[in-house]
Amino acid sequence: MPSVCGGDLHFGEVTNPARPREVVGRFARSGRAEVELAVAAGKQAFPAWRDLGAGKRAKCMRAAAEVADGLVDDLASLLTAEVGKTLGESRGDAGGAARLLREFADLASAADRETDLSSDPASYAATDVLVRRVALGPVVVISPWNTPIHLAFNAIAPNLIAGNTVVVKPPEVAPLALTALVAALAAVLPEGVLTVVPGEGAVAGAALTSHPDIRGVFFTGGISTGREVLKSASETIKKVAMELGGNDAAVVLDSAVINEDMVRELVVGSMGCAGQICFNVKRIYVHRKHFDAFVELFVDLAGHIVVGEGTDASVDIGPLATEEGRNRAVRLIEQARAAGADVRVAGTYADSARVDEGHYVLPTIITGIAPDDELILTEQFCPVIPIIAFDSDDDAIAAANGTEFGLASSVWSTDVEHAMRVARQIESGSTFINVHRLGASVSSTPFGGVKHSGLGRTHGEYSLLSCTEEHAIVRFADPARDLPGIARWNHLRSSSSTS
Ligand code: NAD
C-alpha cells in the first residue's frame, strides 16, 4: 500500500504567486478510488496501532520527527514557492511538524490515561468507575493553504498519540510540501497509520468527510467550507473538530499608552504573513482620545514594510497566495474608497517584486469606514486593515462582538484591571492582552473559536479531548443495590425461589 495513494489520476498544477506563469509542481486530483484505498489502509492499521500503547506510539513519532527535522529547509523553499510567504514564515510552518510530533509524544501518559473515580467516596461509595481514554479509529485531517504543514500536524500529532490512524487531505492551493512531508513520514511509521490523499476539497475532501469508516474529522479552513464539512460528517455522526475563520478585533482602550513598541505589535499582528493568518488582527478599534496619534504612528511604522518575493531576505511580506485573494483585496479597497473612507497605502516594493505579475498588495490602512462595510464584517485575509474610533468601552465591546466570528481578540492598556474588565466581555476563544500575533497562544493555552469560528479546542491536552472518547466502565459490588427505580422490580422472583 503506497502512502501517496495513486491510480488512474488526473493532475492539477500549482503556480508561484510571485511569478504566476511559473509552475511549481503538479499534484494528483484524487477521487473516490484513492480515498477508498487510504481509508481501507487506515482501518486495517488501526487495531494494531491503538493496541501498541501510547509509549511505543510516542517512540514512532519521535523517529518521524527526526525525519521531519531533516526536511525543513527543502519544505520551506517549496512552501514559499507555493504560497508566496517569506522563507522565515515558511520555516516556521515546516518546523511545526517535528515540534508538534515531539510535543504530543511527550503527552503519551495523558493519551493513555485511565482515571479511577471510585477514589471519590462521596459519589461512588460502593462502585468502581474506570474512565478510559480510547482512540476513535481512522480520522481525516483537512488543512488550509496558509500554514498547511503546521496546521495539519496540529491535528495529526495528537491523533497519532491518541491511537488514531490518519488520512491527510492537503489544500489544493498548496498541496506539494505537505504531501511530500506526509509521504516521507508515513514510510517510517507502521503501514497505513498515516496516508495522504491530495485533491480537490469538493471531491477527495467530501469523499473523506462522508466516508462511513472515518470516525473523526479534523478540519481547518473557512467558515462556509466548515458548514459543508459539518453537513457531510453528520450522516454518520462523526466526531468533528473545527478551526475556522477569524475576524479578530483589537481594542485600544483610553487607558493605553500609545508608543512605538505598542503600535509595532499591532502592525505585525495585522500585516504578518500578508494578513493571511486566521488570527491576524483584522479590525482595530481605538479610543477617540488616541485615534489620530495611533493612526499616524501606525501608517508611519507600516511605511517601513518591504513587500516582495518571499525568497528575498530583505522582504517582510510576500505576495498573496492566490489571484482571487488579490482581486478581493483590491475590490475591498476600492469599495471603501468609493464609500468615502480614507485609504492610505504604506510600505515599499523590493526590487524582487514583479509587481505587474505577482499577486501583490501593499499594506493599506483604512479609516472613516462604515461599521457595516464588507471589510468590517468579513475576513479580509490580506494586508488591508480598518482602524475605527470609539467613545466608550461598551461601544468597543459591542463592535468587537458584532460579527459572526469569535476566534481571537486583544485588549490594549497599561491598566491591567481595566484590560481584564473589557477582555471578560469579548466573545472569542482567546483574548490576548497587549499582544496579538503568532506565538501568543502556546501549547498550554486552549486555542479555538466561539460562534462561527469553530468547534473544540486545540493545543496540548485540549487536543486530546477531540481525538479520544471517554469509555466509562462501571462496576457495582452488589448488583441488587438501591439504584433508583429498582424497588419497582422487587416482585420478580425465580419460580424455584417462590415454590
Ligand atoms: P478552505 O475552507 O477553502 O479550504 C480548507 C480545506 O478544505 C482545503 O484543504 C480544501 O481542499 C478543503 N475543502 C474544500 N471544500 C471541501 C469540502 N466540501 N469537503 C471537505 N474538504 C473541503 O480554506 P482556505 O482558503 O484553504 O483557508 C483559509 C481559511 O482558513 C480562512 O478562513 C482562515 O481563517 C481559516 N483558518 C483557520 C485557522 C484556525 O486555526 N481557526 C487556521 C488557519 C486558517
Side-chain angles (χ1 to χ4, degrees), residues 6-88:
D8 184 16
L9 290 174
H10 300 285
F11 292 90
E13 277 182 350
V14 178
T15 53
N16 184 336
R19 308 155 177 258
R21 285 194 288 264
E22 179 187 305
V23 175
V24 180
R26 299 194 308 154
F27 67 100
R29 291 182 194 269
S30 308
R32 189 160 283 280
E34 291 72 35
V35 165
E36 288 300 338
L37 278 173
V39 176
K43 191 177 174 187
Q44 192 176 349
F46 172 63
W49 181 245
R50 173 195 61 197
D51 297 343
L52 196 59
K56 288 190 179 152
R57 291 196 295 269
K59 222 170 144 192
C60 295
M61 289 166 65
R62 289 203 173 90
E66 294 284 312
V67 174
D69 276 338
L71 297 172
V72 169
D73 286 343
D74 288 347
L75 292 171
S77 299
L78 194 48
L79 280 169
T80 290
E82 287 186 282
V83 287
K85 57 191 181 182
T86 65
L87 275 176

Side-chain angles (χ1 to χ4, degrees), residues 485-492:
I486 198 70
R488 164 70 187 79
W489 300 97
N490 279 345
H491 65 284
L492 302 187

Side-chain angles (χ1 to χ4, degrees), residues 268-458:
V268 175
S270 51
M271 300 295 169
C273 210
Q276 300 170 113
I277 301 171
C278 57
F279 76 112
N280 269 122
V281 175
K282 302 207 171 97
R283 302 170 280 156
I284 306 179
Y285 295 94
V286 182
H287 192 277
R288 197 172 301 279
K289 151 180 156 187
H290 296 309
F291 188 75
D292 291 342
F294 180 91
V295 172
E296 285 315 308
L297 196 45
F298 193 100
V299 172
D300 179 9
L301 295 181
H304 296 275
I305 292 176
V306 179
V307 181
E309 197 162 334
T311 48
D312 176 347
S314 73
V315 157
D316 299 307
I317 63 176
L320 295 187
T322 63
E323 187 179 5
E324 186 192 355
R326 181 186 183 278
N327 291 345
R328 178 153 190 266
V330 171
R331 181 171 61 75
L332 288 171
I333 295 167
E334 289 314 318
Q335 234 168 248
R337 203 194 304 269
D342 185 16
V343 175
R344 296 168 76 172
V345 179
T348 51
Y349 283 119
D351 290 343
S352 61
R354 300 180 178 203
V355 180
D356 296 339
E357 251 187 86
H359 309 317
Y360 289 106
V361 176
L362 284 171
T364 304
I365 297 98
I366 299 192
T367 54
I369 189 168
D372 60 351
D373 193 284
E374 189 180 347
L375 181 61
I376 303 286
L377 295 182
T378 65
E379 182 183 30
Q380 63 270 49
F381 237 52
C382 59
V384 178
I385 186 78
I387 308 181
I388 307 109
F390 68 85
D391 293 301
S392 72
D393 288 358
D394 285 349
D395 287 350
I397 293 161
N401 292 342
T403 73
E404 65 175 333
F405 298 85
L407 188 60
S409 55
S410 56
V411 181
W412 299 74
S413 172
T414 46
D415 177 344
V416 176
E417 292 298 314
H418 187 191
M420 287 298 288
R421 267 201 313 281
V422 172
R424 285 178 193 282
Q425 296 177 73
I426 294 187
E427 297 163 354
S428 64
S430 310
T431 300
F432 308 111
I433 307 235
N434 296 330
V435 68
H436 192 148
R437 60 182 159 91
L438 286 178
S441 182
V442 291
S443 58
S444 55
T445 315
F447 186 78
V450 301
K451 301 200 285 189
H452 296 190
S453 286
L455 291 173
R457 292 292 178 271
T458 63

Side-chain angles (χ1 to χ4, degrees), residues 142-146 151 169-172 201-202 205-206 219-222 225 229 243-246 278 379 381 407 447:
I142 300 179
S143 175
W145 54 259
N146 62 340
L151 290 169
K169 212 302 280 167
E172 53 270 64
F219 175 80
T220 308
T225 317
V229 169
E243 294 287 328
L244 304 179
C278 57
E379 182 183 30
F381 237 52
L407 188 60
F447 186 78

Side-chain angles (χ1 to χ4, degrees), residues 150-162:
H150 182 278
L151 290 169
F153 280 82
N154 197 40
I156 293 169
N159 273 296
L160 290 180
I161 197 64

